[in-house]
Amino acid sequence: MKYRTLGKTELKVSVVGVGTWQFGGAWGKDFTQDEVDAILDKAQEVGINLLDTAECYGHHLSENFIGNYVERRGSRDKWIIAT
C-alpha cells in the first residue's frame, strides 16, 4: 500500500480509502454490520487506513456501522476517519 502524509499532521494516510456512504443503502443495497465488518477487516488487512464518511446523510447508518466496528475491534487508533 502506498501512503502519503496528511498536511502538516505527519499522519501516514493510505492513498486508497474506503468510501462508506454506500453502507447506508444509497446504492440500493442494505448492508448489515457483518458485511461492513468484513469489508473493513479486508481493507485493514491490505493496509488501507482511510475511511471517508463525508457523504453520509439522512439516518447516518454508515456512521453507526463504522462506530460499532471501531468500538468492538478497539481499532480507533488504526483508522483516519474523514468526516
Side-chain angles (χ1 to χ4, degrees):
M1 178 59 56
K2 289 186 177 187
Y3 296 89
R4 63 184 173 89
T5 302
L6 183 62
K8 296 180 181 180
T9 66
E10 308 266 336
L11 293 171
K12 286 181 62 177
V13 180
S14 56
V15 296
V16 175
V18 177
T20 61
W21 60 271
Q22 65 271 23
F23 294 161
W27 282 0
K29 176 180 176 15
D30 292 326
F31 285 81
T32 66
Q33 184 70 57
D34 287 339
E35 290 171 317
V36 171
D37 290 355
I39 291 166
L40 297 180
D41 284 344
K42 187 62 173 180
Q44 193 171 43
E45 180 183 313
V46 299
I48 295 172
N49 70 348
L50 174 64
L51 298 178
D52 181 2
T53 65
E55 294 291 330
C56 298
Y57 301 110
H59 47 65
H60 300 283
L61 185 56
S62 296
E63 289 96 334
N64 288 334
F65 283 144
I66 295 163
N68 291 337
Y69 176 84
V70 297
E71 183 177 327
R72 284 183 291 103
R73 297 288 201 272
S75 62
R76 178 59 187 100
D77 61 330
K78 295 180 173 118
W79 293 101
I80 307 298
I81 301 176
T83 60

